[in-house]
Amino acid sequence: MDLHDTGDWLLPFLGELLVYFQKLPGSAIFLRYVKSSYQNDPVRSAMELFLFLFAVRYLLAPKYSTQKQNYVTLSDEEIDELVEDWTPEPLVAPQTALEEAENEKRPVIVGPTGPKSKLSNGKTVVNLASYNFYNFVANETLKEKAIQTLRTYGVGPCGPPGFYGTQDVHMKTEADIAAHLGTPACIVYAQAFSTISSVIPAFSKRGDIIVADKAVNYAIRKGIQISRSTVRWYEHNDMEDLQRVLERVTKEQAKKPLTRRFIVTEGIFENVGDVVDLPRLIELKLRYKFRLILDETWSFGVLGRTGRGVTELQNVDAVEVDMIVGSLAGPLCAGGGFCAGSDEIVEHQRISASAYTFSAALPAMLATTASETLAMLQTSPDILNQVRENIKTMWTQLDPRSEWMRCTSSVDNPVMLLVFKPEVIASKRLSVEDQTQLLQEIVDETLANGVLTTRLKSMPRAMYAPSKDDGWRVQAALKVCITSGLTRKEVERAGTTIRHAITKMVSRRR
């Protein structure tokens, strides 16, 4: 059959098909639609025809399973044999010899934690290993307030703040902190550690720039890691190096799309104990147009005439700091954390900060305790002066009189961090492990003589940092926490005990 014969056969067939189609109800409407559509927009008609044919093809296609059996079927005996041979990986790494020895000798406190604590072996020791700086633990007024709040509100809200967890005491605590710092607003979190690690990723995202001090604590590092931002490190508390990094970042980003840029640092550095140069930091952040996130976990309630932190100590208006993050669990003897700033900063966190949105609210009795301790610091500044007098007394016993160690902490910091002097490390050939072992021996010796101390413990500095930023390590240090619950004589005796323990243990090392 040639082409001419095929046409003669196909035309009558199509004519008969058209006659039958026209007998169908609605066929005339469909034909008019196709003709008008083709005249006005032939591309649309072609697209509709393609979609129609695709739908028909899809409906007529055979069914298939998405769960293909692409694995070998095992018998029950084979499965049991594999299960018996399988050895699960441990959830945590095995303990080192130092950790095992430390756990065997770890003291257990029986009863309340105070300036003098009773251990499980029946011995009473001077407690210089807790953050009970102002001896709020023994304050009967705070106890009565907490008990009264507990009877009124119960133990916990059992719900996130954005749902039904917020209570009037939470709003009062936020207002009290904001008024104390001099900021427009404040938001309270349920846990101190998760505050800064949630604030950072709430504002800084992938593609944004974070410039951070190399000595920042582990909670800040977790927040930086979660944010997935681009990180630039500067040398610890070196404002000249910070300026160099800011200049480099500004030049790199000059021809790129605009991004958010943050400087992240601490007020009192947890791993070193010194204080940031806040006026110089404010000057640089304004010059290079960066936002500042200041973690005052260890400086809020400690520095300044009324404990407002670095801003009060160095005469800086708190409004000039974009975000002030602090803890209510350390010096204030309560629990939780906070972030203070502008109204926009605070309200943004209520819907985008994971630790606030997805965590149960702070227990009411802890919020009340925080408000009460803040009021006590404001109305009775002598509370801070008592601690500072004891800090000076301990300094005179340790830093200038010890041949082996020096203190890296600020003179106003109640947490004294004592590290080995460089010449001691060199002469004794002490590695980091040797220093840690020696410090633990000092801790054990002071405990045997009735003084409870501890050593600085921190996560590895570069666990999540690129290898090029692996230039700073947490130095092994002895940690001595001062409290106002001890008299001057008791502090002197404790300092003498610590100094003699250092001399005894270091001298024994060859």
Side-chain angles (χ1 to χ4, degrees):
M1 181 181 293
D2 56 9
L3 185 60
H4 181 72
D5 294 336
T6 303
D8 292 341
W9 174 82
L10 188 59
L11 289 175
F13 175 75
L14 293 176
E16 293 179 3
L17 186 63
L18 181 61
V19 172
Y20 284 115
F21 179 75
Q22 290 176 345
K23 293 180 180 180
L24 295 175
S27 59
I29 299 175
F30 178 76
L31 289 175
R32 284 198 307 270
Y33 168 75
V34 172
K35 289 179 181 180
S36 61
S37 174
Y38 179 77
Q39 291 175 357
N40 298 331
D41 192 358
V43 176
R44 188 182 70 177
S45 299
M47 182 62 70
E48 290 178 349
L49 177 62
F50 171 77
L51 293 176
F52 173 76
L53 295 177
F54 177 79
V56 173
R57 164 88 170 62
Y58 179 79
L59 293 175
L60 298 179
K63 295 182 179 180
Y64 63 92
S65 175
T66 58
Q67 300 178 353
K68 295 182 178 180
Q69 302 290 335
N70 57 354
Y71 53 86
V72 179
T73 303
L74 301 176
S75 63
D76 294 340
E77 292 78 9
E78 292 173 327
I79 293 175
D80 293 337
E81 183 179 353
L82 290 174
V83 171
E84 291 178 359
D85 295 339
W86 178 67
T87 302
E89 295 183 1
L91 295 177
V92 295
Q95 290 185 350
T96 63
L98 176 62
E99 291 173 340
E100 290 180 356
E102 182 182 359
N103 289 334
E104 290 177 0
K105 301 177 181 178
R106 190 183 303 277
V108 178
I109 296 176
V110 179
T113 302
K116 297 180 180 180
S117 301
K118 185 177 181 180
L119 303 183
S120 57
N121 59 8
K123 186 177 182 180
T124 300
V125 296
V126 175
N127 189 352
L128 298 181
S130 68
Y131 302 129
N132 184 29
F133 304 144
Y134 308 117
N135 199 22
F136 284 149
V137 172
N139 190 291
E140 293 298 328
T141 302
L142 291 177
K143 289 182 182 179
E144 290 299 324
K145 289 282 186 179
I147 293 173
Q148 182 180 356
T149 306
L150 178 63
R151 290 172 176 168
T152 304
Y153 294 90
V155 176
C158 300
F163 191 23
Y164 55 85
T166 298
Q167 298 169 324
D168 55 350
V169 290
H170 298 122
M171 293 185 286
K172 181 180 184 302
T173 302
E174 292 176 348
D176 291 342
I177 297 173
H180 184 60
L181 287 172
T183 58
C186 175
I187 181 172
V188 169
Y189 288 76
Q191 188 186 26
F193 180 91
S194 62
T195 303
I196 186 64
S197 60
S198 182
V199 169
I200 293 174
F203 293 93
S204 185
K205 309 294 183 181
R206 186 189 297 273
D208 295 333
I209 307 295
I210 292 178
V211 177
D213 191 297
K214 285 187 176 182
V216 292
N217 60 51
Y218 183 64
I220 293 178
R221 294 184 181 278
K222 291 301 293 184
I224 292 174
Q225 177 200 5
I226 296 170
S227 72
R228 300 177 294 178
S229 303
T230 302
V231 187
R232 298 288 184 268
W233 303 95
Y234 67 93
E235 296 300 326
H236 170 58
N237 226 359
D238 188 342
M239 295 298 106
E240 299 302 322
D241 189 58
L242 172 60
Q243 182 175 357
R244 180 187 61 81
V245 174
L246 295 179
E247 287 179 352
R248 186 181 65 184
V249 170
T250 303
K251 291 179 181 179
E252 290 175 353
Q253 300 296 317
K255 298 182 180 180
K256 296 182 180 180
L258 185 63
T259 59
R260 288 166 290 197
R261 306 171 187 177
F262 300 90
I263 300 174
V264 181
T265 188
E266 296 182 75
I268 287 181
F269 289 87
E270 178 182 352
N271 296 324
V272 184
D274 53 353
V275 180
V276 70
D277 184 357
L278 189 56
R280 176 65 170 155
L281 200 61
I282 295 294
E283 176 189 344
L284 292 176
K285 80 111 177 175
L286 293 175
R287 180 189 302 176
Y288 294 99
K289 297 179 174 58
F290 275 68
R291 296 181 176 91
L292 176 59
I293 301 178
L294 180 63
D295 184 6
E296 292 216 60
T297 296
W298 300 104
S299 54
F300 180 74
V302 171
L303 299 181
R305 189 182 67 85
T306 59
R308 292 208 306 267
V310 181
T311 54
E312 184 178 29
L313 176 69
Q314 300 182 356
N315 297 318
V316 175
D317 190 348
V319 179
E320 296 185 16
V321 182
D322 298 280
M323 282 163 267
I324 298 177
V325 180
S327 170
L328 304 175
L332 299 189
C333 202
F338 69 88
C339 178
S342 65
D343 292 320
E344 294 79 11
I345 290 290
V346 167
E347 293 306 318
H348 176 76
Q349 295 177 64
R350 297 193 190 279
I351 59 174
S352 61
S354 57
Y356 184 86
T357 307
F358 302 110
S359 297
L362 182 70
M365 61 179 176
L366 295 181
T368 300
T369 302
S371 294
E372 292 297 324
T373 51
L374 274 180
M376 293 174 66
L377 292 178
Q378 287 177 313
T379 56
S380 304
D382 291 340
I383 296 177
L384 289 91
N385 295 331
Q386 294 172 11
V387 175
R388 288 166 186 166
E389 289 298 323
N390 284 350
I391 294 174
K392 293 178 181 178
T393 301
M394 184 63 77
W395 265 79
T396 58
Q397 292 296 320
L398 295 180
D399 187 82
R401 301 180 66 178
S402 176
E403 301 177 4
W404 314 102
M405 306 189 80
R406 63 182 180 87
C407 184
T408 61
S409 299
S410 166
V411 293
D412 293 327
N413 187 358
V415 179
M416 296 182 63
L417 298 180
L418 300 167
V419 302
F420 293 108
K421 294 181 179 179
E423 55 270 24
V424 174
I425 297 175
S427 62
K428 300 287 185 179
R429 296 186 179 91
L430 298 176
S431 65
V432 176
E433 292 75 16
D434 293 336
Q435 295 177 52
T436 303
Q437 177 67 41
L438 187 54
L439 288 172
Q440 187 58 46
E441 294 174 1
I442 295 172
V443 170
D444 296 338
E445 178 66 18
T446 57
L447 179 61
N449 289 279
V451 178
L452 178 61
T453 58
T454 185
R455 57 184 176 85
L456 179 64
K457 301 175 184 178
S458 178
M459 296 297 291
R461 171 251 169 273
M463 179 173 289
Y464 303 108
S467 57
K468 64 180 181 180
D469 296 324
D470 190 15
W472 191 87
R473 287 286 188 273
V474 176
Q475 188 171 0
L478 185 68
K479 196 172 187 178
V480 180
C481 302
I482 313 302
T483 175
S484 62
L486 298 174
T487 64
R488 179 186 178 89
K489 291 293 183 182
E490 290 172 331
V491 174
E492 288 179 349
R493 285 196 296 267
T496 303
T497 300
I498 296 172
R499 189 177 73 252
H500 289 171
I502 294 172
T503 302
K504 179 180 179 180
M505 293 296 105
V506 178
S507 301
R508 185 181 298 178
R509 175 78 59 160
R510 298 299 180 186

